[in-house]
Amino acid sequence: MNLSFLKFDRRTFLKIFSLTALTSLVPGKAAGIPDFRNDKNVPKNYIQNRDVPGFHIRSANPFLGVDMQNWALVVTGLVKETVAFNYEDLFGFKMHSQVSRLKCVECWSAKAKWEGFRIEEILKRVQPDPAAKYLYFQSADSYYESFPIEELKRERVLFVLKMNGNSLSRDHGFPLRLIVPFKYGYKNIKYITRMEFTDTRKRNYWSNSGPYSVDGTIQPGIDHPLDFNKKPLPINGGEVFHPFDKRPS
Ligand SMILES: Nc1nc2c(c(=O)[nH]1)N[C@H]1C(S)=C(S)[C@@H](COP(=O)(O)O)O[C@H]1N2
Ligand SMILES: [Mo]
């Protein structure tokens, strides 16, 4: 039986999905860099920057959180097959767990137990073209980041579903976030909705507007406070391991 019509349907569905995703999940502003850090008018029920004992919350574009009725993880670009994963699909992947520290450039850091899957699960399903060198992430809150694929294959890089034994909270990236312990917090993108395999590196959120590197690897010895006029400060903690991947087990 010829099943190619099914494939066509699915692609059509994906196109429609991504269009609605753009208009309904993303609150506008995709082009500019809005900054709500000093905005006292953000409604209380929005996810926003909050200093919380244990683990601060950072949200460049305050929003109400992901509506799971509209959510799927769409993986596309230079791939053999574009796939839309639903939340349950992700729990079918082999899970890994680790304790690692997230370190923000604003001079705070915090650790948690993270559980999730590794990039190999995605690679197996979508089969990227050899020309694909980068992976570009987009989020439900208009945030975006990109990485060389090779970097995402390194140890302790996780596509995280659970934090400290529970599903990610609304504030910390539900339903899916990236944890890359050797990079500053801003590379650890939350609320992921879409991943695109590309041959060149696409844009990156905070490095577009601040003195932050596109690469985002934690620099030993020095911190870069978000308030641009402040001087760099010494690092008191943070997960830094050099040479790459030779970390204490
Ligand atoms: N989608 C999205 N991901 C994001 C951000 C954001 O605003 N939106 N902020 C980043 C920054 S600057 C940091 S320090 C971490 C903070 O993660 P947390 O809010 O779970 O502490 O998330 C990163 N990932
Ligand atoms: Mo941050």
Side-chain angles (χ1 to χ4, degrees):
M1 185 169 137
N2 184 349
L3 292 174
S4 60
F5 66 95
L6 280 179
K7 220 173 186 173
F8 176 79
D9 271 351
R10 174 165 220 202
R11 277 172 207 279
T12 312
F13 161 75
L14 285 173
K15 267 196 200 123
I16 293 163
F17 176 83
S18 57
L19 279 179
T20 48
L22 274 176
T23 50
S24 69
L25 294 181
V26 175
K29 307 256 188 184
I33 302 282
D35 184 350
F36 291 93
R37 265 173 291 144
N38 300 314
D39 189 343
K40 301 275 180 286
N41 299 318
V42 177
K44 281 219 161 38
N45 57 339
Y46 277 53
I47 300 169
Q48 54 197 289
N49 294 333
R50 272 197 296 129
D51 287 2
V52 182
F55 218 113
H56 296 346
I57 299 155
R58 291 296 176 265
S59 173
N61 305 298
F63 81 128
L64 281 165
V66 169
D67 170 7
M68 288 308 274
Q69 296 233 301
N70 290 324
W71 189 87
L73 172 64
V74 175
V75 186
T76 188
L78 298 171
V79 293
K80 198 163 188 185
E81 195 192 7
T82 288
V83 180
F85 297 95
N86 62 37
Y87 189 53
E88 290 72 31
D89 292 336
L90 305 182
F91 285 90
F93 294 153
K94 183 168 186 240
M95 290 294 140
H96 299 258
S97 105
Q98 73 191 32
V99 174
S100 62
R101 186 168 286 276
L102 182 140
K103 170 162 185 50
C104 175
V105 284
E106 291 174 286
C107 303
W108 61 268
S109 76
K111 66 181 179 179
K113 183 185 175 199
W114 309 104
E115 286 166 80
F117 55 90
R118 291 186 44 87
I119 192 173
E120 283 74 15
E121 300 284 358
I122 298 286
L123 301 179
K124 263 189 262 170
R125 282 297 310 277
V126 304
Q127 298 178 59
D129 193 279
K133 296 284 181 270
Y134 296 88
L135 190 52
Y136 172 65
F137 294 78
Q138 281 175 291
S139 283
D141 64 339
S142 301
Y143 203 87
Y144 43 85
E145 277 299 333
S146 68
F147 295 82
I149 297 165
E150 283 311 310
E151 223 167 50
L152 296 172
K153 290 182 185 169
R154 276 167 32 188
E155 289 186 64
R156 288 162 71 76
V157 174
L158 276 191
F159 290 73
V160 163
L161 297 163
K162 294 175 86 178
M163 179 181 184
N164 296 330
N166 301 309
S167 303
L168 282 169
S169 65
R170 198 184 76 123
D171 290 327
H172 290 298
F174 178 78
L176 178 68
R177 81 176 298 168
L178 187 66
I179 286 292
V180 187
F182 48 88
K183 300 214 179 255
Y184 288 116
Y186 66 87
K187 298 294 291 184
N188 293 237
I189 186 168
K190 307 191 282 186
Y191 324 115
I192 300 167
T193 55
R194 188 173 181 278
M195 298 177 357
E196 182 185 348
F197 285 86
T198 60
D199 54 355
T200 53
R201 199 198 260 277
K202 285 193 129 180
R203 56 196 187 148
N204 296 272
Y205 197 87
W206 279 116
S207 71
N208 283 5
S209 65
Y212 308 118
S213 66
V214 169
D215 172 78
T217 299
I218 297 172
Q219 297 299 299
I222 282 291
D223 242 356
H224 304 271
L226 191 57
D227 311 69
F228 300 158
N229 296 328
K230 283 192 194 159
K231 287 205 179 92
L233 295 174
I235 288 177
N236 295 318
E239 179 152 337
V240 182
F241 33 97
H242 290 288
F244 290 135
D245 302 337
K246 289 221 174 89
R247 84 249 179 268
S249 63

